């Protein structure tokens, strides 16, 4: 084993100890039996260990080829990003009670799929047994949480009874799940206490810029990053206007809103409509020469009501599956197991944009709704940046988002809640998309060969994938 692979193994062991959901591929079986750690003491200890691994990576002397240097850079950058993120969480004057609830929901849901078996049952039992203690640890954090984050936590906690825990009771038994039901009820009461609410949003510009530096290859600062996002949004707005013009509409936002209202399949055919569209998109992508894996259609997107938007979501799903398959086949461990920030979400947006004028979309209605979705995501990334730079308050950002993306007050509030609960998730996806688009704009050519080449980078952050693949 090369030294870098040993250090990668040490890093993965640490990361999975703190968050077993972070790197599930090729993880030891016992990882599926545990929940993560979100207490300050665990995060501080984790940071010390991460710094030790980073120092060892920087001192490596056996980096004798470009591929090894790329892999070392990816691992160092991943560790540095973890250190900045965890240090920020520990030092913050406010807490984020939504994030650990999203974690535990995913941790339980991941075990209850169609492939549920005896091994999955044993893991689920242990995670359910750990659930009350997990919540009790969260209640040791006495810092208040800003209102949007607290609301997101209350919403997540409120759904456990009838969703995740109800599903768990069906697969185990009610007696096993009962302590978890009692624990979540207690946790909801704790979240509802007046002293839980308060404190400012965001990190402030200086701390945000430290986080941004872990997402891009060249430091742009908060203002430079916002300008980059606005330029990308301008491109999306042009695409939206072009699609609307094909349909004879002079107002692109009004055109998208009309399509949204007029093309909503009834609930009794919604699932079949989605499956048919998902299959159509996959077949069209294969016809172009893309290696779309064979699979059954996933559940329909929870936030899609109209039929025209389904094509964009189907492209993204197929794109993510292609990337995951390519990543799993990569012979280099770093590229197979790590994943650049915002990689899959940004990749899905990029593939959709590159295939916009092919039969994958085919009709102007689908192109309009693809651009409308991208516009909402552009607005979300800008709001993510502004909120966490402490440059704007949620009320201002809700108005801004409605004006930019043509969404209603309820959708705008939901977007801001997601942004507050999962800081920089939307921004990372947007910057990943921007990096791929910039790469393609410089090399040109047909979209499909570029897509095939880009997937060879596996989980590398886009600038590193470009460095590795363009240097051959």
């Amino acid at each position: 084993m090369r030294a870098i692979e040993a250090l990668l193994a040490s890093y993965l062991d640490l990361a999975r100890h703190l968050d077993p959901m972070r790197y599930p591929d090729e993880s030891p079986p016992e990882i599926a039996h545990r929940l993560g750690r979100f207490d300050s003491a665990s995060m501080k200890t984790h940071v010390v260990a991460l710094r030790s691994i980073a120092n060892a990576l920087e001192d490596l002397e056996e980096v004798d080829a470009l591929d090894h240097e790329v892999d070392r850079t990816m691992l160092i950058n991943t560790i540095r990003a973890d250190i900045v993120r965890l240090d920020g969480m520990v030092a913050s004057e406010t807490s984020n009670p939504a994030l650990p609830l999203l974690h535990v929901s995913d941790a339980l849901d991941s075990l209850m799929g169609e492939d549920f078996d005896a091994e999955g049952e044993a893991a689920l039992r242990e995670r359910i047994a750990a659930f009350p203690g997990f919540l009790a640890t969260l209640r040791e954090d006495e810092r208040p949480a800003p209102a949007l984050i607290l609301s997101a936590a209350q919403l997540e906690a409120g759904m456990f009874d009838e969703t995740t825990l109800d599903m768990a009771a069906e697969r185990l038994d009610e007696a096993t799940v009962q302590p978890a039901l009692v624990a979540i009820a207690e946790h909801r009461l704790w979240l509802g206490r007046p002293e839980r609410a308060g404190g400012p949003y965001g990190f402030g510009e200086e701390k945000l810029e430290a986080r941004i530096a872990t997402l891009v290859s060249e430091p742009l600062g908060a203002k430079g990053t916002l300008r980059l996002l606005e330029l990308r949004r301008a491109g999306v707005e042009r695409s939206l206007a072009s699609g609307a013009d094909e349909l004879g509409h002079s107002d692109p936002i009004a055109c998208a809103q009309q399509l949204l209202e007029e093309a909503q399949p009834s609930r009794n055919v919604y699932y079949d409509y989605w499956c048919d569209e998902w299959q159509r998109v996959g077949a069209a992508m294969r016809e172009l020469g893309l290696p779309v894996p064979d699979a059954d259609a996933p559940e329909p997107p929870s936030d899609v009501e109209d039929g025209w938007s389904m094509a964009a979501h189907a492209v993204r799903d197929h794109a993510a599956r292609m990337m995951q398959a390519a990543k799993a086949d990569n012979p280099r461990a770093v590229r197979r197991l790590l994943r650049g920030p915002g990689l899959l979400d940004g990749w899905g947006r990029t593939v959709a944009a590159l295939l916009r004028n092919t039969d994958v979309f085919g009709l102007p209605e689908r192109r309009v709704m693809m651009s409308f979705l991208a516009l909402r995501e552009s607005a979300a990334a800008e709001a993510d940046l502004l909120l966490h730079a402490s440059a704007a308050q949620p009320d201002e950002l809700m108005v801004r988002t409605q004006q930019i993306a043509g969404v209603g007050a309820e959708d705008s509030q939901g977007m801001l809640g997601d942004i507050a609960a999962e800081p920089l998730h939307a921004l990372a996806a947007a910057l990943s998309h921007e990096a791929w688009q910039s790469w393609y704009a410089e090399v040109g050519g047909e979209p499909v060969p570029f897509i095939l080449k880009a997937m060879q980078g596996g989980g590398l952050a886009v600038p590193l994938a470009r460095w590795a693949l363009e240097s051959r």
Side-chain angles (χ1 to χ4, degrees):
M1 179 185 290
R2 296 184 63 88
I4 190 171
E5 292 177 348
L7 291 170
L8 171 64
S10 295
Y11 166 70
L12 291 173
D13 184 59
L14 272 171
R16 290 163 175 159
H17 179 76
L18 202 66
D19 182 357
M21 297 296 293
R22 180 119 183 250
Y23 296 110
D25 295 339
E26 300 181 31
S27 62
E30 61 268 20
I31 294 295
H33 295 244
R34 296 194 288 101
L35 297 175
R37 301 295 301 270
F38 289 82
D39 59 287
S40 294
S42 293
M43 287 190 278
K44 288 178 181 178
T45 302
H46 194 81
V47 165
V48 172
L50 286 174
R51 287 199 171 101
S52 177
I53 297 175
N55 291 337
L57 279 163
E58 290 170 349
D59 292 340
L60 276 183
E61 296 180 355
E62 62 173 69
V63 182
D64 52 5
L66 174 64
D67 278 336
H68 298 149
E69 183 58 42
V70 169
D71 289 352
R72 177 170 74 162
T73 303
M74 177 66 186
L75 183 51
I76 289 176
N77 288 352
T78 301
I79 292 171
R80 287 172 177 163
D82 282 4
I83 290 171
V84 171
R85 175 176 57 86
L86 295 172
D87 273 342
M89 291 173 68
V90 171
S92 177
E93 62 185 274
T94 59
S95 65
N96 185 342
L99 203 57
L101 291 179
L102 291 169
H103 159 83
V104 74
S105 177
D106 288 343
L108 297 177
D109 288 345
S110 69
L111 299 173
M112 296 189 287
E114 293 182 359
D115 57 349
F116 187 71
D117 56 14
E119 185 177 335
E121 178 182 343
L124 180 61
R125 283 186 183 278
E126 288 204 42
R127 282 185 173 173
I128 286 289
F131 187 77
F134 176 85
L135 295 182
T137 301
L138 301 183
R139 293 193 291 273
E140 294 174 4
D141 190 342
E142 297 181 351
R143 294 174 297 175
L148 270 178
I149 299 177
L150 189 62
S151 294
Q154 290 170 331
L155 180 64
E156 189 67 27
M159 296 190 298
F160 265 98
D161 289 12
E162 296 181 359
T163 55
T164 303
L165 294 181
D166 185 58
M167 290 169 58
E170 291 178 2
R171 286 161 176 77
L172 304 176
D173 56 78
E174 292 186 5
T176 299
V177 177
Q178 185 60 32
L181 291 168
V182 173
I184 196 64
E186 181 181 357
H187 200 69
R188 282 197 295 268
L189 291 174
W190 178 78
L191 289 170
R193 292 176 183 171
E195 65 270 22
R196 295 271 58 79
Y201 290 92
F203 318 129
E205 188 168 337
E206 182 178 350
K207 291 181 179 178
L208 174 67
E209 290 184 346
R211 294 282 295 271
I212 291 175
T214 69
L215 302 176
V216 294
S217 56
E218 298 180 5
L220 298 172
K223 293 182 177 62
T225 303
L226 179 61
R227 178 59 178 155
L228 183 70
L229 295 175
E230 289 174 335
L231 288 172
R232 179 56 60 193
R233 170 162 56 88
V236 172
E237 289 169 338
R238 288 192 295 271
S239 295
L240 178 60
S242 174
D245 186 62
E246 289 185 79
L247 295 172
H249 285 264
S250 59
D251 186 333
I253 295 290
C255 176
Q257 291 171 331
Q258 181 178 331
L259 291 174
L260 185 65
E261 294 171 1
E262 293 179 353
Q264 297 188 6
S266 62
R267 300 317 298 177
N268 61 323
V269 301
Y270 182 86
Y271 180 76
D272 290 338
Y273 194 102
W274 158 252
C275 290
D276 289 346
E277 185 67 349
W278 187 86
Q279 294 286 359
R280 182 197 69 78
V281 166
M285 292 174 70
R286 290 189 191 95
E287 189 68 23
L288 291 173
L290 292 171
V292 175
D294 290 325
D296 294 328
E299 289 297 311
S302 60
D303 57 346
V304 177
E305 297 179 351
D306 69 295
W308 294 124
S309 293
M310 289 181 180
H313 286 273
V315 171
R316 294 173 179 214
D317 182 74
H318 288 301
R321 290 169 187 265
M322 288 194 304
M323 178 61 84
Q324 291 282 53
K327 186 171 174 289
D329 287 341
N330 198 297
R332 304 191 67 84
V334 164
R335 305 175 196 196
R336 190 172 65 250
L337 298 174
L338 299 186
R339 189 166 74 192
L343 185 130
L344 282 183
D345 288 339
W347 176 246
R349 288 175 62 177
T350 300
V351 173
L354 293 176
L355 301 182
R356 182 178 187 273
N357 293 317
T358 69
D359 288 342
V360 170
F361 287 95
L363 297 173
E365 289 88 349
R366 296 189 188 114
R367 290 192 286 274
V368 166
M369 297 312 291
M370 183 207 85
S371 297
F372 190 51
L373 172 61
L375 182 60
R376 294 200 300 272
E377 289 167 332
S378 294
E382 293 172 30
D384 196 359
L385 176 68
L386 291 167
L387 181 69
H388 292 106
S390 303
Q393 293 300 306
D395 288 348
E396 302 172 71
L397 293 174
M398 286 180 196
V399 172
R400 186 180 191 275
T401 301
Q402 291 172 51
Q403 292 172 341
I404 289 174
V407 298
E410 185 176 346
D411 285 342
S412 178
Q413 185 172 3
M415 287 169 61
L416 264 293
D418 291 342
I419 287 165
E422 296 187 80
L424 308 192
H425 178 84
L427 178 60
L431 292 176
S432 174
H433 173 55
E434 168 61 27
W436 261 305
Q437 289 284 72
S438 297
W439 181 4
Y440 177 69
E442 289 191 26
V443 301
E446 293 297 318
V448 169
F450 174 79
I451 291 171
L452 295 173
K453 181 175 184 177
M455 288 193 299
Q456 295 174 30
L460 290 175
V462 185
L464 293 178
R466 183 175 182 178
W467 180 24
L469 298 173
E470 293 294 332
S471 299
R472 292 179 179 176

